[in-house]
Amino acid sequence: MLTMAPVASWPQAAPPSSLGVQSPAQQPVPAQPVPQQIEPAPPPPAVREENPGLINEMGKLFEKSLAILPKMKSPGETIDDLNARAKDAGESLSNMAKPSLMVTGRAACVVATNGAPDCKAGADRLCQSKGYKEGKSLDTDAAEKCSPKVFLPGRKREPGDCKTENYVIRALCQ
C-alpha cells in the first residue's frame, strides 16, 4: 500500500557539498587513543563454608591439637640447652676426677631420727681417720649386738635383748 501512494520523499543521502562533508582524501585523521591497561581487581576472599564431613572434622581436631601441644624451640634455643647440659656434664666429670682414694676400716653408722642408719657420718669419720676431709660410703656391714643375758643356758630370747649395728667398711675419700 505504501508503494502505491505517491508521497514526496526525501533523498537518502545529501550531496557532499550541502552537509559540509569532505572527501576521504581531505579528512584529517583523528589521533588514536592509547589503550590503557586495566589491572583486574583481586578476587574477593573465598568464604569457607562449613562442611560437616569427616575431613572437616579431622581438620578441626588438628587445629585444636596445635593449641594443646607445646611450642617447638628454635634451633638457637635448642643449642643453648645442649650447651647448658654439656656444661653440667663437664662439672660432674671434673668432680669425679678430683683425687680420691678408697680406704678400708670400720666406723659405726649413727642411727637417724627415723631409725635408719646414717652411714654418711660413719664414712666421714673413717676418711678423717685416714687424713682426708670427707667420704662416701662404698660398702657397709651389719652386726647384731646382744646383751650377755641372751647367752645364758635355758633363757629365752626377748625383744630388745639384741640390736643391729651398721658399720662402714669401705669409703671413697676426698
Side-chain angles (χ1 to χ4, degrees), residues 145-147 149-150 155 157-163:
K145 187 174 184 180
C146 297
S147 166
K149 294 185 230 176
V150 174
R155 183 172 187 281
R157 189 172 178 175
E158 296 177 7
D161 282 347
C162 298
K163 65 177 186 174

Side-chain angles (χ1 to χ4, degrees), residues 134-157:
E134 65 177 353
K136 291 185 180 183
S137 172
L138 290 179
D139 197 7
T140 59
D141 189 19
E144 191 173 54
K145 187 174 184 180
C146 297
S147 166
K149 294 185 230 176
V150 174
F151 299 111
L152 293 174
R155 183 172 187 281
K156 289 193 175 189
R157 189 172 178 175

Side-chain angles (χ1 to χ4, degrees), residues 15-59:
S17 60
S18 66
L19 292 177
V21 177
Q22 301 175 354
S23 67
Q26 297 174 354
Q27 290 182 354
V29 178
Q32 293 182 357
V34 178
Q36 296 179 357
Q37 293 182 352
I38 299 173
E39 295 183 23
V47 177
R48 187 173 153 186
E49 294 182 19
E50 190 68 27
N51 186 2
L54 175 67
I55 303 297
N56 186 43
E57 293 300 320
M58 289 177 66

